[in-house]
Amino acid sequence: MRALRRALVVVLLVVVVGAVFRFLQRPNVPRGSVLVMELSGTYVEAPEPPLVARLVGRAEGSLLAVLSELRKASRDERLSAVLLHVRALDVGWAKAQELRDAIAALRDAGRHPIAYLEGEGFAGNLEYYVASAAEEVYVAPGAHVPLVGLAAEFYFLGGLWEKLGVELEVEQVGEYKSTAEMLAGQKMSEPHREMANALLDSIDGQFMRGIARSRSLSEQELRTVIASAPTQAEELLERRLVDGVRTRREILEARGDPPVVEAEEYARVDASAVTGPPVATFALVYASGPVVTGRGTTSRTGSPIMAADTVVEALEEAAENEEIDAILLRVDSPGGSPFASELIWQATRRAAERKPIVASFSDLAASGGYYVACGIGEVVAGPATLTGSIGAFVARPAFPEVLQRLGVGSEALLRGSHAEILLPGSRLSPDTRAWLRKDIEAVYKRFVERVAEGRDLDRSRVELVARGRVWTGEQAAALGLVDGLGGLRIASARAKEKLGHDPEAPVALVVYPRPRPLAEQIGDVLQGALARAAAQALPLPAGIARLAEWLGGLPPGRPLLVPPLWVEIR
């Protein structure tokens, strides 16, 4: 193990030295150049993914990095066009909308964005949605980019526990808090069905309107086209969904073979040389992943976590830093621990006493993820952000049947009327179930009070939109749960307006929490390699795999603030 660590350190040093050398060589961008960028894979809500993680082949990018590059390109008058190579994307609809907005900004700035679509398989909705924002859209010869309409699938694990002999005892507050029924039930309840259809309808409407506007079609025309489910390049061209079937080489030839600048080279262009000096410095505080107590930024598998102590410290440091003018809290979280959520809620209130603070929601700001930000006076969500889910539940596994099958006897000795809650070998008594119900109701009550206080709403009004129900950002804005719609750029513009600056003026971003030491990153990679390999080896549906990843870092048998985790709209 020590030899492996030394070898990794040597490799990293070589890579770092090479990167520094390349960075010092400023790229040449001739006037009339075409910037070529690839949009593909996963974009995380974190600073640039750790260097070690990239070395071991984890295909992740930073959404902030790609949005910043597109923003820089929109202001670079040396560029005659931006060619966006769109491949398979593993992002939610809110992130997809931020990419679309960045492409639209290129269009408005006269940078002539061109999308080049490649694809295979049967999942092409989201990729086409992103690409359609470009001024021109081309598809590769032989590509398979099916536009079949949106669908959502949900899983219910109750029958699985029965077969294993495990009893999952669940208490929840809020009839829409459907994570509980997905864990312990076997079918969709009517409140869950109502909510799921409303979410799908909202995102489907955004999907249709976005494409129709970009392609100069009516929504009815587009629905007719999608009903025919075009998949082949020629079909897409015939139905006016793309502007041609060409290779990348042919696209560039049609523009007169201009100089080409690749994305890696363009990343070395100094942004301030293009955009001008920043008018302010903002702290960008990331609050990504399940909400947990303690410290840290990533789970055992390397996925982001919102550890309360770390986020609270970041908010306090940003608020105390005299060089920071405002704070942006970027949330991408399914929720988690009520106590951890409360700690961060309190920290946002303290920070707001010292500096302007704006919350920006990414794909998810649900349950605990909404709790942490609802005390901020200015909240901006993506139209497709899954938000709200103001409710609570607790799930407690009991194993009496498993123990019986294995021939294991058990005896419980108690010194408290409800101490059985600590023992998984026996079922809860009716009195303890009632006690547990009362406890989870207290958690829910505090959640509703925090929303009412933070959003300046009557408790009765919060109750109407709470009950565990998830809303899209578009719906949440109409209900008063968020203040505006848009991505990080809009949230930044709101903060600039609070300071009296032009909303379009450039600002410098200082990212929090601060990057961890290289030695810690190496340790994380080594510890998480087996966990990631095991997760990838299991042929689980994406929703179940995501549930396991999110819940894996949360304490069992405690109240949780999490939304329906299998909202997989593709």
PDB file of all heavy atoms in Angstrom, residues 300-301 527-536:
ATOM      1  N   ARG A 300     -17.810   7.761   1.151  1.00  0.00           N
ATOM      2  CA  ARG A 300     -16.818   6.695   0.938  1.00  0.00           C
ATOM      3  C   ARG A 300     -16.633   6.384  -0.537  1.00  0.00           C
ATOM      4  O   ARG A 300     -15.589   5.893  -0.949  1.00  0.00           O
ATOM      5  CB  ARG A 300     -17.257   5.429   1.690  1.00  0.00           C
ATOM      6  CG  ARG A 300     -17.168   5.553   3.205  1.00  0.00           C
ATOM      7  CD  ARG A 300     -17.513   4.228   3.874  1.00  0.00           C
ATOM      8  NE  ARG A 300     -18.873   3.814   3.585  1.00  0.00           N
ATOM      9  CZ  ARG A 300     -19.921   4.180   4.307  1.00  0.00           C
ATOM     10  NH1 ARG A 300     -19.770   4.976   5.347  1.00  0.00           N
ATOM     11  NH2 ARG A 300     -21.127   3.752   4.000  1.00  0.00           N
ATOM     12  N   THR A 301     -17.668   6.623  -1.344  1.00  0.00           N
ATOM     13  CA  THR A 301     -17.560   6.343  -2.772  1.00  0.00           C
ATOM     14  C   THR A 301     -17.101   7.558  -3.571  1.00  0.00           C
ATOM     15  O   THR A 301     -17.040   7.506  -4.795  1.00  0.00           O
ATOM     16  CB  THR A 301     -18.910   5.855  -3.326  1.00  0.00           C
ATOM     17  OG1 THR A 301     -19.891   6.893  -3.143  1.00  0.00           O
ATOM     18  CG2 THR A 301     -19.367   4.591  -2.630  1.00  0.00           C
ATOM     19  N   GLN A 527      -9.563   4.332  -0.500  1.00  0.00           N
ATOM     20  CA  GLN A 527     -10.615   3.761   0.323  1.00  0.00           C
ATOM     21  C   GLN A 527     -11.893   3.533  -0.470  1.00  0.00           C
ATOM     22  O   GLN A 527     -12.633   2.578  -0.211  1.00  0.00           O
ATOM     23  CB  GLN A 527     -10.910   4.681   1.504  1.00  0.00           C
ATOM     24  CG  GLN A 527      -9.788   4.736   2.531  1.00  0.00           C
ATOM     25  CD  GLN A 527     -10.076   5.746   3.622  1.00  0.00           C
ATOM     26  OE1 GLN A 527     -11.204   6.221   3.752  1.00  0.00           O
ATOM     27  NE2 GLN A 527      -9.062   6.086   4.401  1.00  0.00           N
ATOM     28  N   GLY A 528     -12.164   4.416  -1.430  1.00  0.00           N
ATOM     29  CA  GLY A 528     -13.427   4.315  -2.144  1.00  0.00           C
ATOM     30  C   GLY A 528     -13.392   3.462  -3.393  1.00  0.00           C
ATOM     31  O   GLY A 528     -14.440   3.186  -3.984  1.00  0.00           O
ATOM     32  N   ALA A 529     -12.203   3.003  -3.810  1.00  0.00           N
ATOM     33  CA  ALA A 529     -12.097   2.262  -5.064  1.00  0.00           C
ATOM     34  C   ALA A 529     -12.937   0.991  -5.050  1.00  0.00           C
ATOM     35  O   ALA A 529     -13.676   0.694  -6.002  1.00  0.00           O
ATOM     36  CB  ALA A 529     -10.632   1.921  -5.346  1.00  0.00           C
ATOM     37  N   LEU A 530     -12.844   0.205  -3.951  1.00  0.00           N
ATOM     38  CA  LEU A 530     -13.605  -1.033  -3.880  1.00  0.00           C
ATOM     39  C   LEU A 530     -15.099  -0.770  -3.837  1.00  0.00           C
ATOM     40  O   LEU A 530     -15.889  -1.480  -4.477  1.00  0.00           O
ATOM     41  CB  LEU A 530     -13.176  -1.844  -2.645  1.00  0.00           C
ATOM     42  CG  LEU A 530     -11.783  -2.467  -2.716  1.00  0.00           C
ATOM     43  CD1 LEU A 530     -11.459  -3.161  -1.398  1.00  0.00           C
ATOM     44  CD2 LEU A 530     -11.703  -3.475  -3.873  1.00  0.00           C
ATOM     45  N   ALA A 531     -15.523   0.234  -3.088  1.00  0.00           N
ATOM     46  CA  ALA A 531     -16.953   0.553  -2.989  1.00  0.00           C
ATOM     47  C   ALA A 531     -17.517   0.951  -4.338  1.00  0.00           C
ATOM     48  O   ALA A 531     -18.602   0.520  -4.731  1.00  0.00           O
ATOM     49  CB  ALA A 531     -17.167   1.673  -1.970  1.00  0.00           C
ATOM     50  N   ARG A 532     -16.752   1.758  -5.087  1.00  0.00           N
ATOM     51  CA  ARG A 532     -17.233   2.165  -6.409  1.00  0.00           C
ATOM     52  C   ARG A 532     -17.274   0.985  -7.365  1.00  0.00           C
ATOM     53  O   ARG A 532     -18.204   0.843  -8.165  1.00  0.00           O
ATOM     54  CB  ARG A 532     -16.345   3.275  -6.971  1.00  0.00           C
ATOM     55  CG  ARG A 532     -16.540   4.622  -6.297  1.00  0.00           C
ATOM     56  CD  ARG A 532     -15.864   5.718  -7.103  1.00  0.00           C
ATOM     57  NE  ARG A 532     -14.431   5.506  -7.199  1.00  0.00           N
ATOM     58  CZ  ARG A 532     -13.554   5.934  -6.305  1.00  0.00           C
ATOM     59  NH1 ARG A 532     -13.972   6.591  -5.234  1.00  0.00           N
ATOM     60  NH2 ARG A 532     -12.268   5.720  -6.460  1.00  0.00           N
ATOM     61  N   ALA A 533     -16.248   0.126  -7.300  1.00  0.00           N
ATOM     62  CA  ALA A 533     -16.219  -1.037  -8.191  1.00  0.00           C
ATOM     63  C   ALA A 533     -17.392  -1.959  -7.910  1.00  0.00           C
ATOM     64  O   ALA A 533     -18.034  -2.480  -8.840  1.00  0.00           O
ATOM     65  CB  ALA A 533     -14.905  -1.798  -8.015  1.00  0.00           C
ATOM     66  N   ALA A 534     -17.722  -2.156  -6.631  1.00  0.00           N
ATOM     67  CA  ALA A 534     -18.847  -3.015  -6.280  1.00  0.00           C
ATOM     68  C   ALA A 534     -20.160  -2.421  -6.770  1.00  0.00           C
ATOM     69  O   ALA A 534     -21.034  -3.123  -7.295  1.00  0.00           O
ATOM     70  CB  ALA A 534     -18.894  -3.230  -4.766  1.00  0.00           C
ATOM     71  N   ALA A 535     -20.311  -1.098  -6.610  1.00  0.00           N
ATOM     72  CA  ALA A 535     -21.545  -0.441  -7.049  1.00  0.00           C
ATOM     73  C   ALA A 535     -21.716  -0.534  -8.554  1.00  0.00           C
ATOM     74  O   ALA A 535     -22.814  -0.763  -9.065  1.00  0.00           O
ATOM     75  CB  ALA A 535     -21.542   1.029  -6.604  1.00  0.00           C
ATOM     76  N   GLN A 536     -20.612  -0.396  -9.292  1.00  0.00           N
ATOM     77  CA  GLN A 536     -20.698  -0.456 -10.751  1.00  0.00           C
ATOM     78  C   GLN A 536     -20.938  -1.874 -11.252  1.00  0.00           C
ATOM     79  O   GLN A 536     -21.487  -2.077 -12.321  1.00  0.00           O
ATOM     80  CB  GLN A 536     -19.411   0.110 -11.366  1.00  0.00           C
ATOM     81  CG  GLN A 536     -19.240   1.607 -11.115  1.00  0.00           C
ATOM     82  CD  GLN A 536     -17.864   2.103 -11.514  1.00  0.00           C
ATOM     83  OE1 GLN A 536     -17.013   1.337 -11.958  1.00  0.00           O
ATOM     84  NE2 GLN A 536     -17.636   3.405 -11.341  1.00  0.00           N
TER      85      GLN A 536
END
